[in-house]
Amino acid sequence: MQPRTFTHKRILLFGAPRALNREEFDRLLRAADITLADRYDADVDAVVEGRLINPLEQEELDRLYDSDKVVPLSIDAFEKTLCTQIEPERIMMSLKLTRDNERLHAFLQNPYISNDFFLKLLQLYDWKGEGFFDTDENRDVTAALIGRYYEHIERNHNVQYSTLGLMHLLRQTRRPRLIRVIGSLAPLRQAVGSNERQMRAILEALALHPDSDEPTLKHFIRQGDDALRALVATHPALSPALQQELAALNVPAVTTALVSNPALDAALAERLFADDALAETGYAHIALDDARFDKGLARHAKALAANPALTPPMQQRLFETGDEAVMTALAANPALQITGALMQTKIPAVRAALAANPAMTGEALTALAGSGCDAALAGNTASPAALLEQLYTRGDADVLGALAANPATPIDILQQLQLDARFERAVRTNDAFGQFIQRENIGWL
């Protein structure tokens, strides 16, 4: 139903609005030229059933129902239609001029405004120097933020009212603008040095989020502690200027984290890799070209073997070193492509690394069964279901424990394993089993 349906019309409202406060409700009625009637008569165009209906109103509403004269419209449907009359730019200007935090608070709880408008309003909200849940008003706004963007909120309403709800939201969302806005909120910026567990979890989730923007990362570097700086140092979008700023701190933990950043600036890498220990860490992560690979091969082959940026020719050259430690690191590389050559080796450590590597094909993993690496195969998410079922029948405790924690393990096996006290905890913390329980809504045994 479009707003113009009600333009110049008379509406009879029973009870009160829900999403809008009464003042905002009346404003929108005036904007749409809608008149509120005192009682029902032949000129009333629509009856709206609101909330908080008093007994006298309820009697009248029941009579209208019984008479079949009208089909009352729910307040939710009416307000949703009415809110399409909202003019965001005009309201933004009004709120900036009046600094009416009460009106802003009401808008932020309105589910019928757009996400774009919501984020603009959120940036205007005055948290009054308090945390996300320190006042009733702040709690309302934080709950509205989480409730609006949290995926499958209907399955977990309580997450709206937990400080950790923001951490979970940050971990699941890939909305760049939402991340930028959250990173700019006063309670977070004020708490950068906090050691409070829940707030710390939010800060860490933001520091690691790939969509965190430069102002947020810069604030964490300049106002945070070394542990937070070390997280920021690994951020894939960290600019060369901020990398230089972190390196200038000369904090070992921060510098070590920085050289593990695949996007480490080339000039900075050249300087930092003069330290052998830093080079060993850096060559396992840094983006590679032929020149950089050649430079590291002589002294840092093992580190290079773990680098996911290796090309197949680079992997072949590392294999040809014949070094057991190098081949073992290569066998564990998540970007491994020369599986055939490594499969021919009889080195137990190499075969165990291959068995645990999710880059392996199901056929190759099946071929490794019975070669002394069954527990690694049982924990590998790439192992085919038939192989996992075969491993389950063998009854080995280490294998069963790995199966219990593997999200690729067939659900019927997990259901059996949760009945064994040795593996119950691993099954309960298995994400795949948790999703199954949630989806089927059957509860824990």
Side-chain angles (χ1 to χ4, degrees):
M1 187 176 295
Q2 298 300 315
R4 61 177 175 271
T5 305
F6 301 113
T7 303
H8 309 304
K9 304 296 185 181
R10 294 178 71 236
I11 304 297
L12 177 59
L13 172 66
F14 287 91
R18 185 187 306 277
L20 298 161
N21 63 27
R22 190 56 191 248
E23 184 178 358
E24 205 64 50
F25 184 80
D26 290 341
R27 278 196 188 99
L28 290 174
L29 290 180
R30 289 195 296 272
D33 196 17
I34 297 171
T35 304
L36 280 180
D38 295 327
R39 62 181 60 84
Y40 183 78
D41 57 41
D43 294 327
V44 167
D45 298 288
V47 173
V48 178
E49 184 176 356
R51 66 184 186 92
L52 302 177
I53 298 175
N54 65 45
L56 292 177
E57 288 179 315
Q58 188 63 57
E59 287 182 11
E60 177 62 18
L61 185 60
D62 290 342
R63 280 195 293 271
L64 290 174
Y65 268 119
D66 293 340
S67 69
D68 293 327
K69 292 181 180 178
V70 297
V71 177
L73 183 67
S74 75
I75 189 62
D76 297 321
F78 183 73
E79 284 184 312
K80 185 175 183 179
T81 301
L82 194 60
C83 284
T84 62
Q85 294 290 302
I86 289 174
E87 298 180 46
E89 295 308 318
R90 177 178 292 183
I91 290 172
M92 288 286 293
M93 182 62 68
S94 172
L95 290 169
K96 287 177 181 177
L97 291 173
T98 63
R99 299 182 182 276
D100 188 343
N101 221 42
E102 184 175 340
R103 187 184 181 198
L104 176 57
H105 173 266
F107 264 118
L108 286 168
Q109 295 179 84
N110 184 339
Y112 304 128
I113 63 173
S114 70
N115 286 342
D116 179 70
F117 188 32
F118 176 87
L119 290 178
K120 288 180 179 178
L121 292 172
L122 185 60
Q123 291 175 284
L124 294 180
Y125 182 71
D126 183 2
W127 299 86
K128 299 187 183 301
E130 302 287 351
F132 290 113
F133 289 90
D134 290 348
T135 67
D136 290 343
E137 292 78 10
N138 288 2
R139 184 180 300 109
D140 291 340
V141 172
T142 305
L145 168 62
I146 298 171
R148 177 175 284 263
Y149 291 102
Y150 190 88
E151 295 176 14
H152 306 303
I153 188 66
E154 68 280 358
R155 298 179 185 172
N156 189 9
H157 290 291
N158 290 338
V159 75
Q160 289 179 266
Y161 304 100
S162 165
T163 304
L164 286 178
L166 275 174
M167 181 268 289
H168 291 300
L169 173 60
L170 287 166
R171 286 185 175 179
Q172 73 171 206
T173 191
R174 289 306 306 268
R175 295 171 180 256
R177 186 172 173 223
L178 173 61
I179 299 303
R180 291 196 297 271
V181 171
I182 291 176
S184 72
L185 297 179
L188 271 177
R189 296 184 74 82
Q190 293 163 1
V192 166
S194 172
N195 286 317
E196 193 275 321
R197 183 180 65 85
Q198 294 184 328
M199 185 58 74
R200 190 73 187 186
I202 300 172
L203 293 169
E204 291 175 357
L206 196 55
L208 292 170
H209 200 286
D211 292 320
S212 287
D213 62 354
E214 182 151 333
T216 298
L217 299 177
K218 185 184 295 185
H219 183 67
F220 284 4
I221 291 170
R222 296 180 179 178
Q223 302 298 325
D225 56 25
D226 289 339
L228 194 59
R229 289 170 179 148
L231 292 178
V232 172
T234 67
H235 198 280
L238 195 64
S239 69
L242 291 184
Q243 292 180 25
Q244 294 282 357
E245 192 169 326
L246 284 166
L249 297 173
N250 201 28
V251 176
V254 175
T255 307
T256 300
L258 185 60
V259 296
S260 71
N261 191 326
L264 183 65
D265 178 66
L268 183 57
E270 186 75 20
R271 177 164 64 84
L272 294 177
F273 283 15
D275 181 314
D276 269 359
L278 292 177
E280 188 70 12
T281 299
Y283 275 118
H285 299 90
I286 196 167
L288 292 172
D289 56 24
D290 289 338
R292 185 171 282 170
F293 176 82
D294 290 340
K295 188 169 185 177
L297 184 59
R299 299 178 62 182
H300 304 287
K302 180 182 176 182
L304 280 170
N307 193 317
L310 289 171
T311 64
M314 292 175 184
Q315 294 180 17
Q316 185 63 33
R317 288 180 63 187
L318 287 164
F319 172 74
E320 290 170 357
T321 65
D323 184 283
E324 179 177 337
V326 172
M327 288 193 291
T328 301
L330 188 59
N333 192 312
L336 179 66
Q337 296 186 54
I338 59 163
T339 57
L342 287 166
M343 287 282 287
Q344 299 305 312
T345 70
K346 303 300 181 183
I347 301 172
V350 172
R351 295 176 76 84
L354 289 171
N357 191 339
M360 296 284 283
T361 66
E363 182 181 1
L365 291 171
T366 301
L368 288 169
S371 61
C373 47
D374 285 357
L377 290 169
N380 193 331
T381 55
S383 291
L387 174 58
L388 297 175
E389 290 166 358
Q390 175 188 333
L391 294 170
Y392 172 69
T393 63
R394 297 180 182 177
D396 180 86
D398 290 339
V399 170
L400 295 179
L403 287 170
N406 187 348
T409 299
I411 292 297
D412 58 331
I413 292 178
L414 292 177
Q415 287 177 308
Q416 292 301 313
L417 288 172
Q418 75 153 329
L419 300 176
D420 189 322
R422 295 174 299 171
F423 313 118
E424 180 184 9
R425 180 176 178 81
V427 174
R428 284 178 177 268
T429 55
N430 186 318
D431 287 343
F433 194 69
Q435 290 171 14
F436 166 74
I437 293 297
Q438 194 174 60
R439 184 172 62 251
E440 301 298 325
N441 196 26
I442 59 177
W444 294 98
L445 294 181

Coordinates of all heavy atoms in Angstrom, one line a residue, residues 94 103 183 201 237 352 416:
S94 N 17.7 19.0 10.2 CA 17.0 19.3 11.4 C 17.7 18.8 12.6 O 17.9 19.6 13.6 CB 15.6 18.8 11.4 OG 14.9 19.0 12.6
R103 N 15.0 12.7 19.7 CA 14.4 12.4 18.4 C 15.3 11.4 17.6 O 14.8 10.5 17.0 CB 14.1 13.7 17.7 CG 13.4 13.5 16.4 CD 13.2 14.8 15.6 NE 12.5 14.6 14.4 CZ 12.5 15.4 13.4 NH1 13.3 16.5 13.4 NH2 11.8 15.2 12.3
G183 N 33.9 1.6 13.3 CA 35.2 2.0 13.8 C 35.3 3.4 14.2 O 36.2 3.8 14.9
A201 N 37.7 -7.8 22.8 CA 37.4 -8.7 21.7 C 36.8 -7.9 20.5 O 37.1 -8.2 19.4 CB 36.3 -9.7 22.2
A237 N 45.4 -4.4 4.1 CA 45.3 -3.1 3.4 C 46.1 -2.0 4.1 O 45.9 -0.8 3.9 CB 43.8 -2.7 3.4
A352 N 52.7 -37.2 6.6 CA 51.7 -36.6 7.6 C 51.3 -35.2 7.3 O 50.1 -34.9 7.4 CB 52.4 -36.7 9.0
Q416 N 27.0 -39.9 16.8 CA 27.4 -41.0 17.6 C 28.6 -40.6 18.5 O 28.6 -41.0 19.7 CB 27.9 -42.2 16.7 CG 26.8 -42.8 15.9 CD 25.7 -43.4 16.8 OE1 26.1 -44.2 17.7 NE2 24.5 -43.2 16.5

